Amino acid sequence: MYTILLDNSLLFTYCVRRAMDEEIDHSEIGLKAGLEIHQQLDTRTKLFCNCPTTLREKKDSTFAFKRYLRASKSEMGEVDRAAREEAKYSRTFMYKCYDSTCLVENDEEPPRELNREAIDVSLEVALLLNMNPVDEIHTMRKIVIDGSNTCGFQRTALVATDGLLSADDVPVRVDSLCLEEDAAQKIEAEGSAVGYSLDRLGIPLVEICTAPDIRTPEQAVKVAEQLGMILRSTGKVKRGLGTIRQDINISIAAGARVEIKGVQNLRLIGEIVKNEIVRQLKLIALKEELNKRGARVEHRIKDLSGIFKATSSRVIQKSGGNVFGVCLRGFSGVLGTEIQPERRFGSELADFAAMYGAGLMHTDELPAYGISEDEVERLKRTFDATDNDCVVIVAAERARAEKALKAVLRRAEDAMREIPKETRRALPNGSSAYMRPLPGAARMYPETDVPPVNIDEQRLHAIKTNLPETFAHRNARYKERFELNDELADKIARNINFALFEHIMDSYKNIPVTLVVRTLTDTLTELIPDGIDVETLEDHHFMDIFGQLSTNAFGKEAVPDILKFLAKKPELSVEKAIEEIGLSVNMGEVERLIENIVNAKKDFIKEKGAHAVGPLMGVVMTELRGKVDGKLLNKIVAEKVKEVLKED
Ligand SMILES: [Zn+2]
């Protein structure tokens, strides 16, 4: 397979600067991004019924039922584009119910009045974001047809508009804050059947949308962090994996607007923005390359089953030997070109085939998957394909294969014209995959079952007078109490972990405050590029780490390693981590080790006197870094050196 050298100056500069860790001028690229954050509220009951907001073990389900959903026209008479797309795949939905869910979740009873507690929390957040609350809250319906709600729509209510926050002193407008019901949780998918769990359906969410005022990936992270910090400062939001989800709208001047959904890890946002910039720049370069080559897409789908009669490919055997394919003229090397980490242009096409449950293979990557050289040759011959062309095959029965290949052809044609506007799904490594077209505007209509709620001045006043501490106040308090400098005080006061920070400082005495701040901010961020999922780390992990550190169980240098270990195995204790990483040491052995080092360097010590401690510490630290606190080691080394000097 030959790789394409993408010829595009903007892409080249961007990638080179990124690789060199150099400052990038994002205004050159014309980056515009906005965030949409969904946070579950920790209210006693759900948004439209009195069921509790707790998640259940799926095995405790007491009852299940089935539904078939169809795209229906909205009351405005239009069928949403995304909804229509979804309806192409006819699906059956299975719903799991519990003794903690009721007929409202099942869509057998109308929703009750909006939850008052949830309204109050959302108003509190709105005020913290300097927003203007609406006079009256109206519940609306938003069509969803993926089965994630039993009634076919999600209920949402606008609470406030026109807020403002700042990241790096750049103002970012907050367009809207809505109160919404969470969707049912997808728990299984097999063929055309999808299973959902109703325990999550109806948990109140606030949805906060910023304007597309974000101009750099770093700003995106800062805005997300600040929103997270403000939400947490209310003390009334749920914590833990899956309780906060971010969507990002991204566009670059020469590209298209794309919405990336379902980022669960706040710190991954920067990577996602960077990877989307690269994806779009590379798609532009691929488009130029394809047009230069005069590439074209042939719509002739051929039955290729004959070629694979005696194949040893498992994938093809499993499809009953059914193989269909198309030829993309002038596409050689294009499908094999990497456009995001671990994703090639072929993966983009494969996303479309996967919508119809079909896998895709192409001659850029073949022979592989048990397909032989000879079979590849015969594939090419069937299409009269030259070395410039790419043959794409799908192993599935005719109807499915044809649908899948038609979708692939449409995407390939787009590649020569423009970057498609689309909704994508965030992947754990910071890449993204195609999900569906961008939804259109005809998505909302009034929910007549839920009465509007008037927000009176008295209520607003009560919330206003009880707002949590502001960021500026907290910042000043940290400076005074912990003697932090501006940078560190700002960092932790804005950080989502500020409450945990205070808890650690209140619980353990002799712990350096700088270490705690760095650990909860920079250290966690630095672990992300190594592929460490720091979101699995919970408050108790940090409490344990600093608890153990306060008893000198290990040296502070080992904190990042312990975090890495626990992020991978969050069920284990810090003690176990210390043991497994090999940090547990016997102080007797440490003294003996230092003695050996000192004894071997007696001449050096006699020559340098007390100045020998520094160089000796270097040797000792290479052996014991992270295992024993550096200060303690320094003390032992100094004592041993003193003893040697006394010898004469
Ligand atoms: Zn209920």
Side-chain angles (χ1 to χ4, degrees), residues 344-361:
R344 298 171 185 279
F345 181 66
S347 331
E348 297 269 307
L349 298 187
D351 290 342
F352 282 79
M355 289 285 157
Y356 299 92
L360 170 155
M361 293 172 277

Side-chain angles (χ1 to χ4, degrees), residues 53 141 202 228 230 233-234 265 273-275 285 292 302-303 357 423 445 453 500 600 616:
T53 61
R141 295 173 169 184
I230 286 169
S233 70
T234 63
N265 184 338
V273 174
K274 288 177 196 168
N275 290 334
K292 205 162 67 189
K302 286 195 177 182
D303 184 345
T423 305
Y445 50 107
V453 178
L500 173 61
L616 285 174

Side-chain angles (χ1 to χ4, degrees), residues 49 51 101-102 104-105:
C49 64
C51 295
T101 60
C102 72
V104 173
E105 284 97 325

